[in-house]
Amino acid sequence: MLIRKRLKALCCLMVLSLLFVACSSNKSSKELTQFKETQLILGTLGQITVYSDSEKKANEALSKAFSHIDEIENVMSTSKDSSDIFNLNKEAGLQSVEIDPSTMNLLIKGVEYYHTTKGSFNIAIGSLINLWGIGEEWQKLPSKDEISEAKTHIDLDQLEISKEKGTAFIKDPDMLLDLGGIAKGYAVDKGVDVLKENGIENGLVDLGGDVFALGNKPDGNPWRIGINNPEIGVNNSIARISVANKSIVTSGDYERYFIENDKRYHHIIDPSTGFPSESELVSVTVVSDTSTDGDVISTAAFVLGLGEGLELIESLPGVDGILITKNKEVYVSSGLKDNLEILDDDFKVVNN
Ligand code: ADP
Ligand code: MG
């Protein structure tokens, strides 16, 4: 009898303490306030949102994250003189250049990705990017000869990296590096690291569509991230997914382009043709553990096209994707099939 009573009391205590834990965690999560900062950075609109119980802590985390992203831009930009990439390109064919450890990291990763993506992602593509100049004042439709000539200067084997010395050297004087397809994703990841180091557990880092959803939403539910309508661009979600602690990155032909003779020339170049990649795809969204991976794989899958692009995504552990075609057909990788919620009926999931 006594034992039963004790058991009952113990049970009551357990239920009470569980209730207390539930209430207290609920209460503390309700006390989190949203803080947001927007800056023009890395050639795009960057927005970081954090949740915190302290304004001071939140503002400190936001400003440290942005200044770290700014540092990344200062070493990886192709246009800022004195950046590592600017110096490497300037000294191409002449001499090796001392580079920041983060640039070293990305160059090494760039070479690895070149192989995983069957050469469709190539950080040595600068001569072609420059020639087309998509989004720059000098953008133009180049001649076939100019394209063939530029294509002879995108051989990554011409990049010599010495990790021990902290230096790199472009042997081909006409080769140019361009980290435009990876630096933004890398910057998102580093921004997230800074937030975590500063005690932030819930937030969103968004650099022009390269997004990382840190933790859960403060109410404990996963973040709902919209997939843009590729015909319209930002703020027009045709679908959404629920994620926590994941990166969501989209590459699309609607982001930067010019039109000539009714044809759209966009900023994702197929290294095998030297032209903006042509396939049935209008956008590829990649969901992965890091935005560096997502940035690269979304660009690579876009270049590879629907079949090979989806194959690449399926072959990489922890990586998922949503590929949208010109006909508004939506292809979803196996890991996202139960997660994707279509919001616009014009778009149909076709590979379920
Ligand atoms: P966005 O910058 O709009 O998010 P992406 O992530 O797809 O788009 O990256 C496109 C940028 O990557 C281009 O502006 C260019 O700097 C670079 N780039 C274009 N084509 C390639 C490619 N095949 N491999 C590597 N980088 C590329
Ligand atoms: Mg990319």
Side-chain angles (χ1 to χ4, degrees), residues 28 31-37 48-65 194-202:
S28 75
E31 280 167 10
L32 294 177
T33 309
Q34 187 194 69
F35 300 89
K36 212 185 257 195
E37 194 173 323
I48 305 183
T49 310
V50 299
Y51 289 82
S52 175
D53 54 5
S54 143
E55 183 170 359
K56 187 168 170 273
K57 200 168 100 180
N59 286 337
E60 218 169 275
L62 286 169
S63 93
K64 280 185 183 165
V194 172
L195 295 186
K196 286 202 265 189
E197 283 157 19
N198 285 275
I200 302 296
E201 292 175 4
N202 318 86

Side-chain angles (χ1 to χ4, degrees), residues 175-208:
M175 190 171 104
L176 296 171
L177 292 175
D178 182 320
L179 298 186
I182 186 170
K184 227 165 40 165
Y186 178 76
V188 168
D189 290 335
K190 291 294 148 185
V192 170
D193 287 348
V194 172
L195 295 186
K196 286 202 265 189
E197 283 157 19
N198 285 275
I200 302 296
E201 292 175 4
N202 318 86
L204 285 174
V205 178
D206 179 349
L207 294 182

